[in-house]
Amino acid sequence: MIEETFIMIKPDGVKKRLIGEVIKRFEMKQLEIVDLKMVDITRETAEKLYEMHETKVFFDRLINFTISGPAVVMRIRGEDAVMNSRVIVGDTYPDKRLPGSIRGDFSPFLTENIVHASSSKEDAQREINIFFE
Ligand code: CMP
């Protein structure tokens, strides 16, 4: 089914000059970038984006990292875009990341993991609404 998802290239991905590489991975899988912008995320917006993690021990670390530099946010559309994007991005846990996934190729870290991809269709809509009209 054709659907949209939300992708964010996090500050570590921007600092490591991986914007082009990340975009290429989605386009190679026939996912279409329908909107894109570079943003300096405020603390308030980061807390809204990650509100489902508010009670987790890593929340403060995650928010401070998310606002540590510019990020790139994107709306991506294509066949099963939510699920396919998560495969392209790779697992949350470093020891489960497969080579060929973005995180598997570029990050050994749990928090600083290059890219965020929405985990469900509902989250995708909510996250798109935070950053795009
Ligand atoms: P993301 O896919 O953007 O969704 C939530 C983020 O929280 C995740 O990527 C990581 O950056 C971070 N994260 C998830 N689990 C942990 C954890 N156990 N410790 C620290 N950071 C985490």
Side-chain angles (χ1 to χ4, degrees), residues 35-50:
D35 213 340
L36 174 153
K37 62 185 171 188
M38 189 160 227
V39 282
D40 286 311
I41 299 178
T42 63
R43 181 171 292 275
E44 191 189 4
T45 300
E47 287 177 354
K48 203 192 263 181
L49 175 66
Y50 284 125

Side-chain angles (χ1 to χ4, degrees), residues 8 10 50 53 58 61-62 65 86 92-93 103 110-113 115-117:
M8 172 174 69
K10 302 187 185 190
Y50 284 125
H53 298 303
F58 59 82
R61 182 187 164 99
L62 174 61
F65 162 58
R86 289 182 71 82
T92 300
Y93 296 100
R103 290 174 179 170
L110 191 51
T111 302
E112 294 83 3
N113 58 8
V115 184
H116 165 83

Side-chain angles (χ1 to χ4, degrees), residues 26-110:
F26 289 97
E27 292 197 315
M28 280 166 68
K29 260 309 217 194
Q30 301 307 305
L31 292 165
E32 181 190 1
I33 292 146
V34 291
D35 213 340
L36 174 153
K37 62 185 171 188
M38 189 160 227
V39 282
D40 286 311
I41 299 178
T42 63
R43 181 171 292 275
E44 191 189 4
T45 300
E47 287 177 354
K48 203 192 263 181
L49 175 66
Y50 284 125
E51 65 185 15
M52 69 289 270
H53 298 303
E54 206 172 7
T55 58
K56 310 267 173 66
V57 285
F58 59 82
F59 187 68
D60 283 350
R61 182 187 164 99
L62 174 61
I63 298 304
N64 287 328
F65 162 58
T66 304
I67 65 173
S68 65
V72 173
V73 291
M74 299 184 261
R75 262 175 60 212
I76 287 199
R77 183 184 298 151
E79 191 66 27
D80 295 325
V82 173
M83 185 199 69
N84 281 326
S85 293
R86 289 182 71 82
V87 174
I88 292 167
V89 166
D91 205 272
T92 300
Y93 296 100
D95 59 347
K96 291 192 182 149
R97 289 175 192 160
L98 299 175
S101 67
I102 295 170
R103 290 174 179 170
D105 288 347
F106 297 109
S107 170
F109 306 118
L110 191 51

